[in-house]
Amino acid sequence: MNRLLIGDFPALDYACSEAMNTLCTNLSFSGENVRKIMMTSCHASEGKSYLSMNIMRTLARLGKTVALVDADLRRSAISARYDLQFMDAERAWGLAHFLAGRANADDVIYQTNLTGAYMIPVGREVSNPLPLLNTPRFDQLLEHLAQQVDYVIVDAPPVGAVIDGAQIAKSCDGVLVVVSYNAVRRQELIDVKEQLEQTE
């Protein structure tokens, strides 16, 4: 299997670690049918990628197997912020390559240096990813992952900013909306909730 090193992944302090444990425990109470979970927000820079990465790490430490899909194809925060290092730099494939038909699922699933944690990096950024996300390949990939691991975490773009997140939500079982304290208006959050509900 392909390998991916997460080069920069700071440890959490006690309070954050306990908050992550609580969040991941609550996820387990969502039911056996909620395994593909999309992370989104109203705006950029609200912390959804930070939470995605730390939920992946916490679930893995709790003994679960988890795959994180970086689906923020327009502007991924994960690749640079966490210093992802491909063990085979010439085959640095990711979600964009898979959706475009240039790679198969096994080419883009990476074992990380965290036991039980797998990742599908973005691969390359795409200026208009909606046609790629709208193909059956995306749903097939998530289904394939859900058969291999306990949880699939999908880091998606902010629903309040671009339509990509609403398209991604169609392939997921549930959504976590990350809200920056005192930075999001109530009506913005209601609009995001209603847009997500339309995807069922």
Side-chain angles (χ1 to χ4, degrees), residues 113-172:
N113 49 317
L114 302 175
T115 302
Y118 302 84
M119 286 187 73
I120 296 182
V122 73
R124 63 183 299 262
E125 293 184 352
V126 180
S127 59
N128 181 24
L130 197 56
L132 293 176
L133 293 167
N134 201 26
T135 66
R137 289 178 68 84
F138 183 70
D139 191 60
Q140 291 165 4
L141 179 63
L142 295 192
E143 283 296 325
H144 173 71
L145 288 170
Q147 293 171 11
Q148 311 297 320
V149 298
D150 296 316
Y151 290 98
V152 179
I153 305 298
V154 184
D155 188 59
V159 171
V162 291
I163 195 64
D164 305 359
Q167 180 63 40
I168 292 168
K170 294 178 182 179
S171 300
C172 296

Side-chain angles (χ1 to χ4, degrees), residues 36-198:
K36 298 176 289 183
I37 302 165
M38 184 180 95
M39 302 288 296
T40 191
S41 58
C42 294
H43 308 294
S45 303
E46 289 195 77
K48 65 174 182 58
S49 296
Y50 172 86
L51 277 176
S52 295
M53 289 293 289
N54 280 288
I55 286 173
M56 175 187 71
R57 176 167 61 181
T58 303
L59 285 171
R61 285 180 175 170
L62 293 172
K64 304 294 185 182
T65 53
V66 55
L68 172 60
V69 180
D70 186 355
D72 197 345
L73 292 168
R74 293 177 195 260
R75 196 180 76 172
S76 170
I78 290 176
S79 294
R81 188 174 298 164
Y82 293 92
D83 186 26
L84 300 187
Q85 301 169 25
F86 295 86
M87 296 297 99
D88 183 356
E90 293 182 3
R91 289 170 49 105
W93 292 338
L95 181 62
H97 298 93
F98 173 81
L99 295 179
R102 295 177 54 196
N104 61 41
D106 291 337
D107 293 327
V108 300
I109 301 172
Y110 294 82
Q111 167 70 62
T112 72
N113 49 317
L114 302 175
T115 302
Y118 302 84
M119 286 187 73
I120 296 182
V122 73
R124 63 183 299 262
E125 293 184 352
V126 180
S127 59
N128 181 24
L130 197 56
L132 293 176
L133 293 167
N134 201 26
T135 66
R137 289 178 68 84
F138 183 70
D139 191 60
Q140 291 165 4
L141 179 63
L142 295 192
E143 283 296 325
H144 173 71
L145 288 170
Q147 293 171 11
Q148 311 297 320
V149 298
D150 296 316
Y151 290 98
V152 179
I153 305 298
V154 184
D155 188 59
V159 171
V162 291
I163 195 64
D164 305 359
Q167 180 63 40
I168 292 168
K170 294 178 182 179
S171 300
C172 296
D173 303 321
V175 179
L176 280 177
V177 180
V178 180
V179 181
S180 181
Y181 181 69
N182 269 350
V184 176
R185 291 183 291 110
R186 182 173 182 271
Q187 188 57 51
E188 291 176 312
L189 194 55
I190 290 172
D191 291 344
V192 165
K193 178 178 178 288
E194 289 177 350
Q195 189 171 4
L196 290 169
E197 286 175 341
Q198 290 176 10

Side-chain angles (χ1 to χ4, degrees), residues 22-43:
T22 300
L23 179 57
C24 290
T25 300
N26 288 339
L27 283 178
S28 69
F29 293 149
S30 298
E32 293 182 0
N33 294 329
V34 181
R35 299 176 58 218
K36 298 176 289 183
I37 302 165
M38 184 180 95
M39 302 288 296
T40 191
S41 58
C42 294
H43 308 294

Side-chain angles (χ1 to χ4, degrees), residues 11-23 50-51 54 58:
L12 299 175
D13 63 24
Y14 177 78
C16 285
S17 181
E18 284 302 300
M20 285 295 160
N21 287 336
T22 300
L23 179 57
Y50 172 86
L51 277 176
N54 280 288
T58 303

